[in-house]
């Protein structure tokens, strides 16, 4: 999960910033070009690592994700060409094609991880961690959509259409529900570190970024948006959206700790089982030998001597082990009888 979380984090930023650039009137700036290239390189490396790990046990799923990602790389080339143009020269459908395909791929990766995670669950705690990570990725994708729709609208046309506004409100409702699920999962896990990470999301996303976004949304609806507002909110989005996936990172780290505990417990159980096995083998070998030496053989000697004495044979020499228990007393009595 960890490589894919890093990959999606950077890929979502690439998706959103490319969408904003394709909405702007001017060709891409050096700042945005550098930002997109940096995120793109990071997501490529993380996806490559994730595919390599996944193909060990899930080769079919890894191949599907790899092929779909290769298609997006082709789409990237077209997006790069479009970003070099001014808005009147661009393909009017290019931005929507880019954004839709990226979003579909994010959903595909999330669904694949959830499917694989379901196969790997070994206890309820890990199940809650897994659901939290998947929901965090989903939440990040939804709020990234919200941010990108709003930022691209005020960057390009300086206004937001009725359809965009309706879509924004719908996604806000959807993200609210997912966030509620995440809070429930964190409560069931009961981790102080996760609670702290969730509080950082509330602070950076809800209390800072969303608050500013709401203020700008009011200005947009009144037709009072100012120049540079798009860049301003885009800069605020980076730490806010990053904080969401830091929550997923914390969950991943705690899963690793939990797995180590399970491995340690499994190792201890294995050692105990091995010791019990050795004890069983020892008992099987030692107890019959002990009984034969300490009980059966001395009794056989006594019985043999008594049988000989009953027929008048007193010259039979059968050694007795000097013992103070009942066997020893019986042996001493029979030896006295022989004498």
């Amino acid at each position: 999960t960890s490589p894919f979380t890093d990959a999606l984090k950077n890929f979502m930023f690439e998706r959103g910033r490319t969408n904003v650039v394709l909405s702007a009137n001017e060709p891409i700036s050096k700042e945005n070009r550098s930002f997109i290239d940096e995120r793109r390189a990071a997501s490529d490396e993380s996806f490559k690592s994730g595919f390599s790990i996944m193909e060990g046990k899930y080769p079919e799923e890894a191949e599907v994700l790899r092929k779909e990602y290769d298609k997006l790389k082709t789409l990237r080339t077209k997006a790069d060409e479009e970003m070099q143009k001014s808005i009147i020269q661009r393909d009017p459908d290019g931005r929507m094609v880019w954004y839709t395909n990226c979003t579909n791929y994010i959903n595909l990766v999330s669904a694949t991880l959830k499917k694989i995670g379901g196969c790997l669950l070994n206890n309820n705690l890990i199940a809650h961690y897994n659901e939290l990570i998947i929901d965090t990725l989903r939440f990040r994708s939804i709020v990234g959509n919200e941010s990108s729709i709003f930022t691209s609208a005020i960057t390009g046309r300086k206004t937001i259409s009725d359809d965009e506004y309706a879509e924004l409100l719908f996604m806000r409702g959807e993200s609210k529900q997912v966030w509620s699920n995440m809070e429930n999962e964190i409560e069931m896990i009961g981790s102080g570190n996760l609670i702290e990470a969730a509080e950082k999301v509330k602070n950076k996303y809800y209390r800072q970024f969303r608050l500013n976004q709401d203020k700008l949304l009011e200005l947009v609806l009144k037709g009072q948006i100012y120049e540079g507002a798009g860049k301003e909110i885009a800069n605020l989005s980076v730490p806010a959206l990053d904080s969401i996936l830091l929550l997923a990172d914390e969950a991943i780290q705690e899963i690793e700790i939990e797995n180590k505990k399970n491995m340690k417990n499994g190792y201890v159980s294995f050692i105990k089982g091995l010791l019990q096995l050795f004890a069983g083998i020892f008992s099987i070998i030692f107890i019959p030998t002990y009984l034969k030496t300490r009980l059966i053989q001395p009794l056989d000697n006594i019985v043999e001597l008594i049988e000989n004495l009953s027929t008048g044979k007193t010259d039979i020499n059968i050694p007795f082990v000097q013992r103070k228990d009942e066997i020893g007393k019986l042996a001493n009595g029979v030896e006295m009888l022989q004498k």
Side-chain angles (χ1 to χ4, degrees), residues 238-285:
V238 175
L241 299 180
D242 265 343
S243 70
I244 297 170
L245 290 181
L246 289 177
L247 175 60
D249 290 340
E250 181 61 40
I252 290 170
Q253 291 177 14
E254 294 197 9
I255 281 182
E256 292 175 354
I257 293 172
E258 187 66 23
N259 284 335
K260 287 179 180 178
K261 287 181 181 178
N262 292 337
M263 290 178 64
K264 183 178 180 180
N265 292 337
Y267 177 75
V268 171
S269 298
F270 172 75
I271 294 299
K272 287 182 178 178
L274 196 61
L275 291 175
Q276 290 174 352
L277 175 63
F278 287 149
I281 294 173
F282 179 77
S283 298
I284 292 172
I285 296 174

Side-chain angles (χ1 to χ4, degrees), residues 24 44 47 53 61 123 128 138 169 171 196 220-221 246 280 283 310 332:
D44 282 348
F47 272 129
I53 294 172
E61 288 81 357
N123 60 49
H128 291 311
R138 186 183 171 202
L169 294 180
M171 285 190 292
E196 183 179 348
V220 170
L221 295 175
L246 289 177
S283 298
S310 67
N332 289 335

